Amino acid sequence: MDSKSVKEFIRKEVPDWDDELIATARFKAFSGQKSDWEPKFQFWKNLIVKIARHFGVFIISPPQVKNEWFNRGGLTPLCIDHVLFIMYNEGEITRISDMVGPYSGRITLLFYKVKSLMNRSTMSPESILLEDCLILTTLLKEKADEVIKCLSESHWNSHCVVTRNKFESMCGGQKEGYAVLSYLSGCRKGQYLSTNKKELIEGIKVSLSSAVVSGVSSLDFDTLHLIWTQEKLQQQLDVIDRRWEMSRQSALASLKSGNKKLALRHAKEMKLGTENREKCSSLLNRVEEVLSVIANVESTKQVTGAIQIGARVIKENKISIEEVQLCLEELDESIDSQKQVEKALEPAPSLDMEDEDIEEEFRKLELEIGSGNLKDLNPEAGVSDSEGTDQSLAEALLNLKLADDAAGSGSTIQNSGLPAKNKESNSPMLEAA
């Protein structure tokens, strides 16, 4: 993030940046009532956030912002200190020293909070420019959401455990990892854990759902140890591969130069590297198998818990399994009827085959999302002639009870034998399907 790239971005975002008259007014210090300098404050605040978001950072340096980002031929904005100070007071930026230490205990966390309140009362526009770095809270939240989304793509459970090194690399660095974990800890979405297995192993437990992160268990410590071992073995494999490639290149160079003895030595190094790689790969596969078993067990546990909750709800509402199955069958029939309506209301096929193919693929996606990959539509529902279309449409509307004369037709839903309360609650679902 060099100053040259920042200035090029500013000129794209602010077309009149090089206009001398406008720049002179913008670079002046704040004076008068708030209504007089509010537009100028909004301009600088939005520009700072845009620059940081464009370059993928949420930690900024006040001296760099003033002296490098917005430097115009040696002139810097006289109002930047007040802009940052107002943003600080409004909670749009914060200092790392104000954040709760995520790697500390509860007593230390309370100390951090008290210290933060005391430091906030002594902040001034002049002192804020002396800070090493400031955190843009809006972009911090975006980064935390991005990290959780990235972890969700590789984990199927409601939570996951990662090593501290991996977490910090996902956040963009040590400071960034500290800030993100502090935010997640404050939201009770992340928790730090560590264990000693000959050396200190640090990790982060992150909730991937809307629920707060659960307490750290012995399984979490064991999982952390396995993940740490997996990463170490993978690093070792990378080192072996690099050394093997170096030995190979050296062996080829020795052969070309006619030094067969040296080439033979490099060949022996390659053979030794291959043996070491096989051993390391075997250990890595075993660790990955154990991690896979743990993940499958946790998923099975969640499914079992969901089934138990569903059984308890059915029992509490005095609903039999047959009634539930009948409701599901009725729902399937209603969805099929809705498909027939959509098929009957389809426009005539276009002469452009490419557009037709695209529309057909899009329609299939809609049906898959809406019906949960149920059976295909009745082929008779999509006849092309007007008589067949009208007949299919009429039958579909009767099945959905959208016609007034279908009240006495003895529909499947009315004959289901469910209590009145269940019928009323299921009817909107069927119509919405």
Side-chain angles (χ1 to χ4, degrees):
M1 189 177 174
D2 59 294
S3 58
K4 183 179 179 181
S5 301
V6 173
K7 290 178 180 179
E8 290 177 356
F9 176 76
I10 291 175
R11 288 186 173 89
K12 291 180 181 179
E13 290 294 318
V14 187
D16 56 2
W17 177 257
D18 293 323
D19 189 297
E20 292 297 333
L21 293 177
I22 298 177
T24 301
R26 285 177 180 154
F27 276 49
K28 287 183 179 179
F30 291 164
S31 61
Q33 301 295 326
K34 181 179 180 181
S35 57
D36 298 331
W37 48 261
E38 178 69 19
K40 190 189 300 184
F41 164 72
Q42 294 294 334
F43 168 81
W44 288 112
K45 182 190 75 171
N46 294 334
L47 186 56
I48 291 172
V49 174
K50 283 181 179 179
I51 294 173
R53 180 180 283 116
H54 176 76
F55 289 95
V57 298
F58 60 89
I59 298 180
I60 60 175
S61 170
Q64 183 186 32
V65 170
K66 181 176 182 179
N67 300 322
E68 295 183 18
W69 288 11
F70 304 136
N71 190 317
R72 292 185 69 256
L75 299 177
T76 57
L78 300 177
C79 56
I80 285 297
D81 53 347
H82 284 86
V83 171
L84 297 176
F85 179 68
I86 296 172
M87 292 177 67
Y88 179 78
N89 288 335
E90 293 180 352
E92 296 181 3
I93 61 174
T94 186
R95 300 174 298 178
I96 286 187
S97 58
D98 294 333
M99 305 193 76
V100 177
Y103 307 121
S104 309
R106 290 186 177 181
I107 297 178
T108 309
L109 296 181
L110 293 175
F111 172 75
Y112 267 101
K113 291 182 179 180
V114 175
K115 181 183 177 182
S116 174
L117 292 175
M118 295 177 62
N119 292 339
R120 181 174 287 273
S121 61
T122 60
M123 181 60 64
S124 65
E126 294 76 17
S127 62
I128 200 168
L129 287 176
L130 302 177
E131 294 291 329
D132 291 334
C133 55
L134 297 173
I135 299 173
L136 297 165
T137 54
T138 301
L139 302 187
L140 172 62
K141 296 175 183 178
E142 293 178 3
K143 187 63 178 182
D145 293 339
E146 178 184 334
V147 171
I148 292 178
K149 181 181 178 181
C150 183
L151 291 172
S152 300
E153 293 175 353
S154 57
H155 295 82
W156 297 99
N157 299 321
S158 60
H159 67 272
C160 71
V161 176
V162 295
T163 61
R164 179 177 174 178
N165 289 336
K166 182 177 180 180
F167 183 82
E168 290 178 347
S169 66
M170 295 176 65
C171 295
Q174 188 173 357
K175 284 185 179 180
E176 290 79 1
Y178 181 94
V180 172
L181 181 57
S182 178
Y183 170 75
L184 292 177
S185 299
C187 301
R188 300 182 64 188
K189 298 277 289 181
Q191 187 172 355
Y192 168 78
L193 65 154
S194 63
T195 180
N196 281 302
K197 301 287 186 179
K198 295 183 179 180
E199 61 179 296
L200 180 63
I201 302 175
E202 299 176 290
I204 314 296
K205 184 176 182 179
V206 182
S207 173
L208 305 180
S209 63
S210 58
V212 299
V213 65
S214 57
V216 179
S217 62
S218 59
L219 179 61
D220 294 328
F221 288 109
D222 295 336
T223 302
L224 173 62
H225 187 204
L226 289 170
I227 294 174
W228 177 84
T229 304
Q230 180 189 27
E231 293 181 1
K232 287 291 183 181
L233 290 173
Q234 186 60 55
Q235 293 173 4
Q236 187 64 29
L237 278 177
D238 295 339
V239 171
I240 293 174
D241 290 340
R242 287 196 297 269
R243 289 179 178 175
W244 186 90
E245 184 61 27
M246 292 173 60
S247 298
R248 177 177 173 275
Q249 295 295 336
S250 299
L252 291 175
S254 300
L255 286 174
K256 289 181 180 179
S257 63
N259 193 341
K260 295 184 178 180
K261 184 180 292 188
L262 184 58
L264 181 60
R265 192 178 72 178
H266 288 306
K268 290 180 179 179
E269 292 177 356
M270 292 174 59
K271 183 178 180 182
L272 181 61
T274 302
E275 293 175 354
N276 291 336
R277 194 185 195 288
E278 291 177 356
K279 294 178 182 178
C280 192
S281 297
S282 177
L283 291 174
L284 180 60
N285 291 334
R286 289 170 61 186
V287 172
E288 290 178 345
E289 287 176 3
V290 175
L291 288 173
S292 178
V293 170
I294 293 175
N296 292 336
V297 169
E298 291 182 348
S299 299
T300 303
K301 183 179 178 181
Q302 292 179 4
V303 173
T304 303
I307 293 175
Q308 292 176 351
I309 293 174
R312 186 172 66 251
V313 170
I314 291 175
K315 184 177 180 181
E316 291 174 355
N317 289 274
K318 298 180 180 180
I319 302 175
S320 65
I321 299 298
E322 291 76 12
E323 291 175 332
V324 175
Q325 184 64 31
L326 184 59
C327 287
L328 294 175
E329 293 176 357
E330 293 169 354
L331 181 61
D332 292 345
E333 294 177 0
S334 178
I335 292 174
D336 289 338
S337 299
Q338 179 66 26
K339 288 181 180 180
Q340 294 178 12
V341 172
E342 294 178 356
K343 192 71 175 178
L345 293 176
E346 288 178 3
S350 174
L351 295 177
D352 190 349
M353 296 303 296
E354 292 185 358
D355 292 342
E356 181 182 2
D357 294 338
I358 294 172
E359 291 177 1
E360 182 64 25
E361 289 297 326
F362 183 77
R363 194 177 301 113
K364 289 180 180 179
L365 290 175
E366 284 184 327
L367 295 178
E368 288 177 2
I369 295 173
S371 63
N373 293 326
L374 297 176
K375 296 180 179 179
D376 295 336
L377 298 177
N378 186 348
E380 298 179 359
V383 292
S384 58
D385 57 283
S386 59
E387 181 179 356
T389 300
D390 295 339
Q391 182 180 358
S392 176
L393 178 59
E395 292 176 356
L397 293 175
L398 285 174
N399 290 334
L400 286 174
K401 297 196 301 182
L402 297 178
D404 294 339
D405 59 348
S409 61
S411 65
T412 308
I413 299 175
Q414 292 176 336
N415 293 331
S416 62
L418 288 174
K421 178 177 66 175
N422 296 332
K423 294 178 182 178
E424 294 174 358
S425 63
N426 287 332
S427 180
M429 293 175 58
L430 296 178
E431 294 177 2

